[in-house]
Amino acid sequence: MNGKAYAVRFEGDRALVNGRRPTTSPSRPSTTGAPHPLRPPPRATVVAVTAPMLDWCCASTAQEGDVVERHDELLVLEAMKMESKISATTAGTVRAILVKQGDQVKAGDVLVEIEA
């Protein structure tokens, strides 16, 4: 290791390094809830904001990368000259806006993805 040679021998549950017992013990897993250094961090949850009914996308008031709070306006949809504001259902970062002005959407279509 690091250009040095070590002779390791086990006697029962103890290790000898170069004929000596190490002065430090091997580290044990943390029980404090800190992430393990080799374990990847937990992934963010992606929340889909969907269209409530058949509409046309009138305007986008948010952009990808925007940090939004719950109930912040994301899009404006229009049906029969009535505008509907589409709001964030959770706080997070806008990951993707999947529609653009002039697109027709139907109920259940994913409009925006938010990383919570």
Side-chain angles (χ1 to χ4, degrees), residues 8-83:
V8 179
R9 185 176 56 150
F10 292 94
E11 290 182 355
D13 63 346
R14 298 179 189 252
L16 297 174
V17 179
N18 293 338
R20 302 169 134 195
R21 194 175 294 159
T23 57
T24 60
S25 62
S27 63
R28 299 199 185 275
S30 171
T31 57
T32 61
H36 189 279
L38 300 178
R39 195 173 297 148
R43 292 183 179 211
T45 302
V46 177
V47 176
V49 178
T50 59
M53 60 184 175
L54 181 66
D55 278 313
W56 294 90
C57 181
C58 188
S60 176
T61 53
Q63 296 179 4
E64 291 179 7
D66 284 356
V67 175
V68 295
E69 296 296 324
R70 187 169 186 236
H71 301 299
D72 282 357
E73 184 179 303
L74 302 172
L75 297 168
V76 179
L77 301 181
E78 181 184 325
M80 300 182 344
K81 301 196 189 256
M82 295 289 295
E83 289 186 352

